């Protein structure tokens, strides 16, 4: 089967394992699932799947929020925010528990976000679930004179430390997801 069909077949299995075994297993499972792929092949697989999804309305730009149940949604406001930040000379990063090769496609020019691929970090580049603040302090702050980011955004409890522990943060954008797991629900 081609990569798109493979993703469609395995995604529900992956989500079940992720939801039952937790975030720490998430990257390990992805690494095993895609172990036969190079980063270039995985990027192509992700891009093909996203292009097909856009053609079928699964990946779209509208006023919804990201949801595995309804597809990946690119918020027009986020596209505009990232554009405005770039124009103002503010460096933007993506720090996620997902796999970097897929993140670079999802945050690239094709879907409108246009994040520099060198500024995209995932579980395979040292980001640990629930420890994004540590990653930012260790790897990103030194690039900026040891300073914390001034703005952070996220959509789960895995982002909580980033919102609360980075003292330089002035604004936090918190996105509500349609597909919340119990661990993501507010206390």
């Amino acid at each position: 089967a081609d990569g798109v069909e493979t993703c469609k077949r395995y995604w529900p299995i992956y989500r079940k394992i992720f939801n039952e075994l937790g975030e720490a297993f998430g990257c390990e499972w992805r690494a095993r699932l895609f172990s036969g792929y190079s980063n270039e092949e995985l990027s192509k697989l992700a891009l093909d799947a996203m292009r097909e999804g856009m053609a079928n309305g699964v990946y779209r730009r509208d006023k919804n929020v990201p949801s595995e149940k309804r597809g990946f949604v690119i918020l027009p406001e986020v596209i505009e925010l990232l554009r405005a930040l770039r124009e103002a000379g503010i460096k933007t990063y993506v720090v996620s528990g997902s796999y970097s090769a897929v993140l670079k496609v999802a945050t690239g020019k094709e879907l409108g976000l246009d994040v520099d691929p060198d500024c995209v970090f995932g579980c395979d580049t040292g980001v640990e679930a629930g420890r994004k603040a540590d990653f930012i302090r260790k790897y990103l702050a030194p690039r900026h004179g040891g300073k914390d980011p001034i703005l952070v955004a996220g959509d789960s409890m895995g982002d909580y430390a980033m919102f609360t522990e980075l003292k330089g943060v002035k604004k936090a954008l918190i996105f509500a997801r349609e597909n919340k797991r119990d661990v993501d629900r507010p206390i």
Side-chain angles (χ1 to χ4, degrees):
D2 68 21
V4 173
E5 289 304 314
T6 301
C7 280
K8 286 179 184 176
R9 229 180 17 248
Y10 287 108
W11 186 253
I13 296 167
Y14 164 73
R15 287 310 307 167
K16 182 165 181 51
I17 290 170
F18 181 88
N19 287 335
E20 290 184 11
L21 298 179
E23 293 184 25
F25 187 70
C27 194
E28 181 181 340
W29 172 250
R30 281 184 286 257
R32 288 182 186 176
L33 176 64
F34 296 118
S35 64
Y37 292 93
S38 68
N39 278 343
E40 292 78 20
E41 291 168 327
L42 187 53
S43 294
K44 183 182 178 332
L45 172 68
L47 185 57
D48 289 348
M50 288 178 196
R51 284 178 177 160
E52 180 180 306
M54 286 170 36
N56 296 331
V58 176
Y59 298 97
R60 59 197 186 277
R61 294 179 181 162
D62 62 15
K63 296 194 182 294
N64 293 314
V65 296
S67 168
E68 284 102 9
K69 291 181 182 175
R70 294 182 306 151
F72 183 80
V73 178
I74 305 296
L75 298 166
E77 297 86 356
V78 173
I79 292 171
E80 178 59 26
L81 173 63
L82 289 173
R83 184 196 60 71
L85 290 171
R86 274 192 307 278
E87 287 178 1
I90 297 172
K91 192 85 162 171
T92 57
Y93 294 91
V94 173
V95 177
S96 174
S98 294
Y99 198 72
S100 297
V102 174
L103 285 169
K104 289 177 182 185
V105 171
T107 60
K109 288 183 181 185
E110 180 106 9
L111 296 181
L113 297 175
D114 199 16
V115 175
D116 178 349
D118 292 334
C119 295
V120 177
F121 302 93
C123 62
D124 54 309
T125 57
V127 179
E128 295 179 46
R131 301 186 59 100
K132 292 176 186 175
D134 294 338
F135 181 88
I136 291 168
R137 277 190 211 103
K138 185 173 181 180
Y139 296 105
L140 301 182
R143 297 179 182 193
H144 302 280
K147 295 179 183 177
D148 287 339
I150 57 171
L151 168 73
V152 293
D155 65 357
S156 75
M157 287 305 294
D159 299 316
Y160 182 76
M162 190 174 60
F163 297 145
T164 60
E165 293 177 14
L166 297 170
K167 302 303 180 203
V169 170
K170 303 296 181 212
K171 298 287 181 191
L173 298 175
I174 303 170
F175 296 98
R177 294 191 298 180
E178 294 289 325
N179 64 323
K180 295 177 189 159
R181 296 167 290 146
D182 286 340
V183 70
D184 293 328
R185 296 189 197 294
I187 298 173

